[in-house]
Amino acid sequence: MKVMKAPIIIIGMHRSGTTMIASMLQQMGVFIGNDLEENLESMFFLTLNEWILRQSGGAWDNPNAGRWFLNRSEIFQLVYEYIKDRVYGFPIISYLGWKRFIKYKGNLNNMREPWGWKDPRNTITLPLWLKLYPDAKVIHIYRNGVAVAVSLYKRECEHLKIAKAKHIKRKTFGLYKFIPKKGGFVWSSRCLSLEDAFTLWEEYTEMALKMMETVKEQGFTIKYEDFLNKPVSILSELRDFCELNCSNEFIDKLAFQVKPERANAYKKLPELMICFERISNSPLMQKLGYSQQENILGHDK
């Protein structure tokens, strides 16, 4: 009888390459969900992760709040029991889709193919998922904190610009007097500041590094810039780590999708120079081998 496949869980800060790795694994034969949104995140697991974070007033841009429930054993157990029922109940059809739901009788324990999911929020909620799947393989990808902060900052500024334009139109026509606004003006007020976006990277990355220390041989860490420079080597190692059946020829073809020049594309923003000293003196940046000159702006996801 075939042994159940343990899930592959991708963690790491937003805008650090998690989508890129998820895409590569998907092409290498890993099922990452039937309900994927634009960043290749399964809506089933994403929604659960968001619900978990709300138990302590946390959110994707407030990860440290997660410690309040993670360190409260009685709440942790209740949350664990809830997600277990969701994962092993009918709702899992969202992730599996009808075909796999029927094939595996609606039970992830019956999975006989490589599977897993990607969500940066896994970085915070991983202890719960490891309790549910103690043999899970964990992949962590990290990227230059300056590049991440700039990417988040630019995205948030652009979103605010668009939202403001829509707001002016709706206010001009008096629409708010009759129809409530569905969404907010920003995804994250925190990321409207480069320095605050950088501290968010620090929080996620410090969490991820601690998590990887606990999983030991079950973990695989990737440096974003190294991946862009030597994709064949790292993809081969990733294939072996995940026990996937991919030929060397396929790995070579897959590596052609990677564009090394993205690791060297950079731009200095005037706003960045204001907080550059604080960022460049970050112990975490130095620990991970990023020099003061590495203000990398590359692939965002």
Side-chain angles (χ1 to χ4, degrees):
M1 182 177 180
K2 292 184 178 180
V3 180
M4 166 201 167
K5 294 280 188 182
I8 297 165
I9 303 175
I10 302 174
I11 72 173
M13 174 60 189
H14 302 259
R15 321 301 283 180
S16 292
T18 54
T19 301
M20 175 182 68
I21 294 302
S23 175
M24 293 293 175
L25 287 174
Q26 185 181 46
Q27 295 176 73
M28 292 165 71
V30 178
F31 176 70
I32 60 173
N34 185 69
D35 55 345
L36 301 178
E37 48 89 79
E38 62 178 344
N39 293 317
L40 299 185
E41 292 165 15
S42 161
M43 288 303 300
F44 174 79
F45 285 103
L46 186 156
T47 301
L48 269 182
N49 275 333
E50 288 183 330
W51 179 87
I52 293 169
L53 292 178
R54 286 199 296 273
Q55 304 315 296
S56 55
W60 75 268
D61 59 349
N62 185 24
N64 278 341
R67 71 183 187 276
W68 296 118
F69 88 87
L70 290 173
N71 295 330
R72 303 290 191 273
S73 59
E74 65 275 20
I75 301 300
F76 184 94
Q77 183 61 29
L78 288 172
V79 171
Y80 167 73
E81 290 172 1
Y82 171 74
I83 66 170
K84 186 176 182 181
D85 282 345
R86 298 296 291 175
V87 169
Y88 290 110
F90 186 77
I92 197 62
I93 194 172
S94 170
Y95 170 77
L96 289 173
W98 276 106
K99 183 178 179 181
R100 285 183 172 83
F101 185 81
I102 295 172
K103 179 179 180 180
Y104 298 120
K105 300 178 181 178
N107 192 333
L108 292 177
N109 285 335
N110 295 327
M111 293 289 281
R112 298 293 181 266
E113 62 182 290
W115 68 284
W117 70 96
K118 167 257 176 178
D119 183 3
R121 299 165 189 78
N122 289 331
T123 309
I124 313 162
T125 62
L126 188 61
L128 279 163
W129 298 117
L130 289 178
K131 182 175 174 63
L132 189 61
Y133 298 110
D135 297 323
K137 295 179 183 293
V138 182
I139 298 172
H140 171 222
I141 181 167
Y142 67 89
R143 181 187 181 192
N144 185 312
V146 174
V148 172
V150 171
S151 178
L152 286 169
Y153 173 75
K154 291 177 64 179
R155 183 183 72 172
E156 208 59 54
C157 288
E158 183 61 27
H159 184 64
L160 177 60
K161 180 180 177 181
I162 294 172
K164 188 176 180 180
K166 290 181 179 179
H167 165 72
I168 292 173
K169 281 186 178 181
R170 290 168 180 168
K171 184 172 175 59
T172 300
F173 289 104
L175 295 183
Y176 293 141
K177 296 179 180 179
F178 305 98
I179 304 172
K181 184 173 175 56
K182 292 182 179 180
F185 291 108
V186 293
W187 286 313
S188 171
S189 297
R190 178 176 184 174
C191 293
L192 282 172
S193 159
L194 270 171
E195 184 166 353
D196 289 337
F198 180 77
T199 60
L200 179 60
W201 169 83
E202 287 183 309
E203 291 171 17
Y204 264 87
T205 306
E206 286 170 354
M207 281 185 182
L209 293 176
K210 288 180 181 178
M211 293 293 182
M212 297 308 284
E213 289 177 0
T214 65
V215 298
K216 298 178 181 179
E217 67 275 3
Q218 289 175 227
F220 187 90
T221 299
I222 302 170
K223 186 174 183 178
Y224 174 85
E225 293 79 17
D226 287 348
F227 183 83
L228 295 188
N229 289 324
K230 48 182 180 180
V232 173
S233 174
I234 294 179
L235 282 172
S236 297
E237 293 176 14
L238 193 58
R239 172 195 59 191
D240 296 340
F241 172 74
C242 296
E243 301 177 87
L244 305 175
N245 296 317
C246 300
S247 66
N248 290 333
E249 292 74 18
F250 182 80
I251 293 294
D252 290 338
K253 291 180 180 179
L254 202 58
F256 273 115
Q257 298 179 24
V258 180
K259 299 181 179 180
E261 64 271 15
R262 286 173 173 168
N264 299 315
Y266 67 93
K267 182 175 70 173
K268 292 182 178 179
L269 298 177
E271 298 92 334
L272 179 60
M273 303 314 296
I274 297 174
C275 57
F276 182 69
E277 183 176 355
R278 154 75 181 88
I279 290 176
S280 62
N281 289 329
S282 165
L284 187 56
M285 285 282 282
Q286 295 176 16
K287 177 182 178 180
L288 296 177
Y290 292 114
S291 73
Q292 294 185 10
Q293 301 303 317
E294 287 182 309
N295 303 329
I296 301 173
L297 284 173
H299 186 65
D300 285 337
K301 297 176 183 178

